[in-house]
Amino acid sequence: MTDDVRNIVLGVLAAGISAALGWLARTYLWRRKLRRKQAFFGLPGNSECLLVVNRDAGGDGSVHRHDVFALLELSALIKDCEAHAQILSHDIAQQGIGERTEFCVGGPVSNRRMAAHLHSLLPGVRINTEPEPGPDRGAFQIGSERYRVEKGASEYVLLARLTTGQDARPVFLFCGQQAITNQAATRYLARNHERLARKHGNNTFCLLLKVVNSQAYGPDVVELVADVTRAAQAPVPAPRASHRAGT
């Protein structure tokens, strides 16, 4: 074998080894990223989860188009985790918390299961569900703060990841003042889940988001108002009983 042939063979071998090492490194990083994503969403490979959908409170019982878009956003996340989803209406979803990962979409008026989750897991959140029009209709009360709806201009949504135990699967809540805010919250989660996982790990959190000028920008312009986990989980203090002077 001449020196030229030997150099060519060595070059080919070196290139092959480099390509193999590069492929192994990329595969390792991809798998590590996938495992982290699966852990955050509680979705190991081939697992099943629930998509609990509400009904349009102001319509004929159909699902609002923005909630359909929210389900599509979540379906893409679930597929990326190599998991499977079962879609259930809020009024027939009857299972405990933590058995399977759950994504629950919609406010307490149009989603009974959301109302149950808020009552059980976020007792510090109060949502005005009165049907009569008024400035506080649909407003969020979290601790001492109140967040009112300005339809099309300034609307709020809760994005929460809740767990009931170390081995329990998480429940994700997307509870908005308008249907478009539910979609905004799912899109925010899809875009920021890596940052949220780094900050919160696999722990419980509850974030208050504001959707800005949805009339012009749709669900795309979202601001993080505050991490309200502590206030949302704290029970609302009982009203003080009034005492009348002795008669």
Side-chain angles (χ1 to χ4, degrees):
M1 180 181 295
T2 65
D3 290 342
D4 290 340
V5 173
R6 184 182 299 110
N7 290 336
I8 292 173
V9 171
L10 291 175
V12 171
L13 288 174
I17 292 172
S18 297
L21 290 175
W23 178 83
L24 289 173
R26 288 192 299 272
T27 301
Y28 170 78
L29 293 174
W30 174 80
R31 289 190 179 278
R32 186 175 66 171
K33 183 177 180 180
L34 175 62
R35 286 194 297 269
R36 288 177 177 175
K37 187 173 184 179
Q38 290 174 330
F40 176 75
F41 287 108
L43 294 172
N46 293 318
S47 61
E48 291 188 354
C49 66
L50 288 182
L51 284 174
V52 181
V53 63
N54 63 344
R55 297 293 185 182
D56 186 359
D60 58 358
S62 60
V63 180
H64 195 284
R65 66 186 183 93
H66 287 296
D67 290 326
V68 174
F69 295 150
L71 294 178
L72 293 175
E73 299 270 4
L74 294 173
S75 296
L77 285 175
I78 295 165
K79 184 178 181 181
D80 287 345
C81 291
E82 300 180 350
H84 311 286
Q86 179 184 8
I87 300 177
L88 291 178
S89 176
H90 70 100
D91 51 356
I92 62 173
Q94 297 178 343
Q95 75 158 37
I97 300 172
E99 296 178 13
R100 288 186 285 178
T101 294
E102 177 181 340
F103 301 89
C104 192
V105 177
V109 173
S110 60
N111 190 324
R112 297 178 192 171
R113 191 162 175 87
M114 177 66 74
H117 287 326
L118 293 176
H119 178 77
S120 301
L121 303 174
L122 297 176
V125 175
R126 291 287 183 268
I127 300 177
N128 188 317
T129 57
E130 294 296 326
E132 297 300 323
D136 287 333
R137 183 181 181 184
F140 288 175
Q141 181 82 27
I142 306 173
S144 61
E145 299 294 329
R146 181 173 296 172
Y147 304 90
R148 289 173 171 167
V149 185
E150 296 179 34
K151 190 172 182 180
S154 178
E155 299 149 316
Y156 295 91
V157 57
L158 288 173
L159 167 61
R161 181 191 191 275
L162 308 172
T163 57
T164 57
Q166 184 175 359
D167 297 325
R169 298 287 176 84
V171 176
F172 288 87
L173 304 184
F174 309 88
C175 180
Q177 294 176 328
Q178 303 289 332
I180 196 170
T181 62
N182 299 330
Q183 182 189 0
T186 58
R187 184 165 293 183
Y188 182 91
L189 179 64
R191 291 175 174 175
N192 296 281
H193 65 84
E194 291 182 356
R195 180 178 60 82
L196 294 174
R198 286 194 298 268
K199 181 175 182 179
H200 301 282
N202 297 330
N203 301 316
T204 286
F205 63 80
C206 181
L207 307 179
L208 180 67
L209 308 175
K210 180 168 72 172
V211 183
V212 179
N213 199 357
S214 63
Q215 188 173 5
Y217 303 127
D220 285 332
V221 181
V222 179
E223 298 176 356
L224 173 61
V225 178
D227 183 333
V228 296
T229 307
R230 183 174 298 179
Q233 289 186 310
V236 175
R240 296 180 179 179
S242 59
H243 297 280
R244 184 177 296 180
T247 55

